[in-house]
Amino acid sequence: MYSKELTKGTLQPIILKLISSRDKMYGYEITQEVKKITSGKIDISEGALYPILHKLEAQGVLVTEKIYVGKRVRKYYSVTKDGKQKVIEATKEINDFIITLQTIFNAKPTIS
């Protein structure tokens, strides 16, 4: 599993990309899907997940829908029309960041 320090800045784009790939998702489902996709290397705690979801909802990037499942209410999140542009931007930014990291960590040493 990657450290919290390493994954902290990547959680929002991960969450956005995952929700945008589906019609809607609820919190626990998001955490489990990330864990499954990454073979357990990225574990999003509820303490990290919900502040991000609430922030994105406040920004109008996500909307929520409450659905009763038995006697429980489940809150589903989906990407708004405006949020779809945010997903595109976040995806481009994270991909560019990955390329930059590869440049740094896979750089060939220069001989002086």
Side-chain angles (χ1 to χ4, degrees):
M1 184 179 341
Y2 297 122
S3 70
K4 301 291 181 200
E5 293 80 18
L6 186 61
T7 61
K8 186 177 179 182
T10 62
L11 294 182
Q12 183 171 309
I14 289 170
I15 292 164
L16 272 175
K17 185 67 175 175
L18 188 58
I19 296 172
S20 73
S21 70
R22 314 264 179 96
D23 277 344
K24 58 189 171 192
M25 295 183 81
Y26 59 95
Y28 181 75
E29 179 183 22
I30 294 166
T31 63
Q32 295 308 297
E33 191 63 20
V34 168
K35 196 180 292 185
K36 179 180 152 192
I37 290 169
T38 65
S39 301
K41 290 180 180 178
I42 298 176
D43 183 22
I44 303 176
S45 68
E46 289 182 12
L49 174 68
Y50 287 103
I52 293 170
L53 291 173
H54 296 155
K55 177 183 170 189
L56 292 170
E57 183 181 11
Q59 292 173 345
V61 175
L62 298 177
V63 291
T64 59
E65 175 186 5
K66 292 180 181 176
I67 297 177
Y68 285 90
V69 179
K71 293 182 179 182
R72 301 182 73 199
V73 176
R74 188 174 281 166
K75 193 173 185 180
Y76 284 87
Y77 297 85
S78 56
V79 178
T80 63
K81 191 178 270 189
D82 290 339
K84 290 181 192 299
Q85 183 59 40
K86 177 84 171 169
V87 173
I88 291 167
E89 291 166 9
T91 302
K92 284 181 182 177
E93 184 177 31
I94 197 77
N95 283 326
D96 184 59
F97 184 64
I98 291 166
I99 290 167
T100 302
L101 289 176
Q102 288 174 334
T103 301
I104 293 168
F105 289 102
N106 297 324
K108 305 245 187 290
T110 56
I111 300 174
S112 301

